[in-house]
Amino acid sequence: MELNKQNIKKILGIIAAAIIMYVGLQNSSSVINLFYSFFSLLAPFIVGICIAFVLNVPMRFIERHLFYHGKSKTSQEGKEKKIREKIARPISILVTILLVLLLLVIIIFMVAPELGRTFWTMIDTIQNFVNGEQATWLDKLTEHFPKIEEALKDLKIDWRMVGNNIVNFVKEGFGGALDSTVKLVGSIVNQVINFFLGLVFAIYILLSKETLTLQGKQLLYSFFKEERADHMIGVFRLINKTFSNFLSGQCLDATILGLMFFIAMTLFKFPYAPLLSVFIGFTALIPVFGSFIGCIVAVFMLLMVSPMKAIWFLVMFLILQQLEETFVYPNIVGKSVSLPAIWTFGAVILGGSMMGIIGMLLFIPGTSVIYSIMNGIMEKRLKDRAISPEKWKKQMDFLYPAEEATNKRKFLKRNKHKEK
């Protein structure tokens, strides 16, 4: 390799990167703490970006359908259009936030009373069940083993020692519990503050998203080549489209599934219909496995009321889930991400193992973006290399070499003639 100025810069860059990586690995705990502190400082901004991305979907729908209905034909209509453009964004943001708050209030007021009644009913049922089973078990135990009852009567307990141990345990535990409570309260307050700061930041992002988009494009074109900048902008557009479609599709699918369960449970007079339908719809936001989590909780709650109703609910769940996966999910979420089922399943497993529920929600559209980009790259490379589709479209030619495939076809034809 020729040691010119450009190559020397590359070598120095590689050496510097290797040194930084070595120092980072030797002080990994300090590096992790540094990154944690850095992301803690950026938490309100990250939360704000996420809130803005979520609110942008309904805000864009409201803005498009309430304020933009066509082209203006007269000067008066042109003036009205300018006024609409000035007030469209603030009103759309306000309406979106109010709709989200209204939805939360409706869910809380519909679910909270039912949840309270269910909670106390379950406590009474479990208590009666445990007391009855415990009394029966003790009677049978003392009946079969009478010596146990005599041993319990002769058992001597030093209650003063027991009392001292309890007092010491309470003293030690109270200090630890108080410290944990203070930390928990501080963490909750910090999260609440970050959320509200993020909400304010999200509103600013939504109010000036066109300006921010323009500045981002200027930044890319000023630091990268035009072709590379065009490619990066195309990728960002694909990410925005895929994530927006997935988010709206997942919410619509969860709403439809919740309504299906509410109607079915009301018709067949299942208990806790509003609570369980809302809970199943909420858990259905988790891709693939979410509705099954709701099913387990629902079966457990119905089991406390009637085992037969729990069984019939399980049958109803399997039927509705099959209908939803066959007709609803492919037409709503499937078309929004354009991702085969096997890749969706893999994205859910990988995202769940790495980041939990948030990972499941992020990895499906993220995998869809990577899948689309790789498809584009493969098509371009195949076209540049002038490889005919006949090479990879036919399964016979893919499984066998050319001569073996020809022999295989001749063999199949001979067998057909013999059968005739």
Side-chain angles (χ1 to χ4, degrees):
M1 183 176 63
E2 185 181 354
L3 289 177
N4 53 26
K5 195 172 183 180
Q6 187 176 1
N7 290 333
I8 290 173
K9 285 183 179 180
K10 289 181 181 179
I11 293 171
L12 291 176
I14 293 171
I15 294 172
I19 294 172
I20 293 172
M21 186 178 295
Y22 176 77
V23 173
L25 291 174
Q26 293 296 320
N27 302 276
S28 57
S29 59
S30 301
V31 173
I32 291 172
N33 291 331
L34 181 63
F35 273 104
Y36 181 77
S37 301
F38 179 71
F39 281 108
S40 296
L41 291 174
L42 294 179
F45 301 101
I46 296 172
V47 171
I49 292 171
C50 295
I51 293 174
F53 191 85
V54 172
L55 294 181
N56 182 57
V57 177
M59 185 207 73
R60 190 171 54 189
F61 178 83
I62 294 170
E63 191 176 31
R64 186 169 61 247
H65 287 79
L66 287 184
F67 296 98
Y68 300 104
H69 295 291
K71 297 181 180 180
S72 56
K73 297 180 180 179
T74 63
S75 59
Q76 182 65 25
E77 290 179 354
K79 293 179 181 178
E80 292 177 357
K81 184 180 179 181
K82 290 181 179 180
I83 295 173
R84 286 201 307 269
E85 288 176 352
K86 289 182 179 180
I87 65 172
R89 183 60 53 80
I91 292 178
S92 299
I93 295 173
L94 181 62
V95 171
T96 302
I97 295 174
L98 290 176
L99 286 176
V100 172
L101 292 176
L102 180 63
L103 180 63
L104 292 176
V105 168
I106 291 173
I107 291 175
I108 290 171
F109 277 97
M110 184 174 67
V111 172
E114 191 70 31
L115 186 62
R117 287 194 295 269
T118 304
F119 179 74
W120 291 112
T121 302
M122 288 177 63
I123 288 178
D124 293 337
T125 304
I126 294 172
Q127 188 175 1
N128 294 332
F129 177 78
V130 171
N131 289 337
E133 290 292 325
Q134 186 179 14
T136 305
W137 180 77
L138 287 174
D139 291 339
K140 290 181 179 180
L141 186 65
T142 54
E143 182 180 348
H144 287 86
F145 303 98
K147 290 184 178 181
I148 293 177
E149 188 176 2
E150 296 176 3
L152 291 174
K153 288 179 180 179
D154 296 335
L155 184 64
K156 293 180 180 181
I157 302 174
D158 189 352
W159 294 108
R160 182 176 294 179
M161 185 181 293
V162 172
N164 291 333
N165 291 333
I166 291 174
V167 170
N168 292 330
F169 177 76
V170 170
K171 284 181 180 179
E172 295 175 359
F174 181 74
L178 182 62
D179 185 48
S180 300
T181 304
V182 170
K183 289 182 180 179
L184 179 63
V185 171
S187 177
I188 292 173
V189 171
N190 188 33
Q191 296 299 326
V192 171
I193 292 173
N194 285 339
F195 176 78
F196 281 104
L197 290 176
L199 180 61
V200 175
F201 184 61
I203 292 172
Y204 277 105
I205 291 176
L206 293 174
L207 285 172
S208 56
K209 65 176 186 176
E210 286 82 8
T211 304
L212 292 173
T213 303
L214 181 63
Q215 291 173 349
K217 289 181 178 179
Q218 289 176 342
L219 186 67
L220 289 176
Y221 283 115
S222 61
F223 282 94
F224 296 97
K225 293 181 180 179
E226 184 176 355
E227 184 179 356
R228 178 63 60 86
D230 289 338
H231 180 70
M232 294 173 70
I233 290 172
V235 171
F236 287 138
R237 285 174 179 167
L238 177 63
I239 292 172
N240 178 57
K241 180 182 176 181
T242 304
F243 273 80
S244 299
N245 291 342
F246 173 75
L247 180 65
S248 56
Q250 195 71 27
C251 291
L252 181 59
D253 176 70
T255 303
I256 292 173
L257 185 63
L259 288 174
M260 288 168 62
F261 272 95
F262 179 73
I263 294 170
M265 292 182 72
T266 305
L267 288 175
F268 292 104
K269 297 181 180 180
F270 280 96
Y272 315 131
L275 174 65
L276 294 181
S277 58
V278 170
F279 184 75
I280 290 174
F282 182 75
T283 55
L285 291 172
I286 304 171
V288 181
F289 302 112
S291 56
F292 291 97
I293 299 173
C295 174
I296 293 171
V297 175
V299 168
F300 176 75
M301 292 176 63
L302 292 174
L303 194 63
M304 297 296 171
V305 178
S306 171
M308 284 304 299
K309 286 186 177 180
I311 294 173
W312 282 115
F313 175 83
L314 186 60
V315 174
M316 183 185 71
F317 174 83
L318 295 174
I319 294 172
L320 293 179
Q321 180 70 15
Q322 190 64 32
L323 291 174
E324 187 264 347
E325 288 184 355
T326 304
F327 298 104
V328 180
Y329 193 87
N331 293 312
I332 295 177
V333 182
K335 290 182 178 179
S336 65
V337 295
S338 301
L339 192 66
I342 186 171
W343 295 109
T344 303
F345 188 72
V348 169
I349 294 176
L350 185 60
S353 62
M354 293 180 65
M355 299 172 60
I357 295 174
I358 302 298
M360 293 181 183
L361 294 173
L362 291 178
F363 270 57
I364 289 181
T367 306
S368 176
V369 171
I370 296 173
Y371 183 81
S372 300
I373 292 173
M374 290 303 298
N375 271 341
I377 293 172
M378 285 190 297
E379 288 178 3
K380 184 177 182 302
R381 289 179 66 87
L382 290 171
K383 186 177 180 181
D384 292 342
R385 299 178 67 182
I387 296 177
S388 172
E390 298 294 330
K391 293 283 186 180
W392 49 272
K393 278 189 176 180
K394 289 186 178 180
Q395 186 178 6
M396 184 69 71
D397 292 342
F398 176 76
L399 293 175
Y400 304 98
E403 294 180 1
E404 292 183 14
T406 304
N407 295 332
K408 186 75 175 179
R409 284 193 291 267
K410 290 179 179 178
F411 176 75
L412 292 174
K413 287 181 180 179
R414 285 199 299 268
N415 285 343
K416 285 182 181 180
H417 287 301
K418 287 180 181 179
E419 289 176 0
K420 290 180 180 180

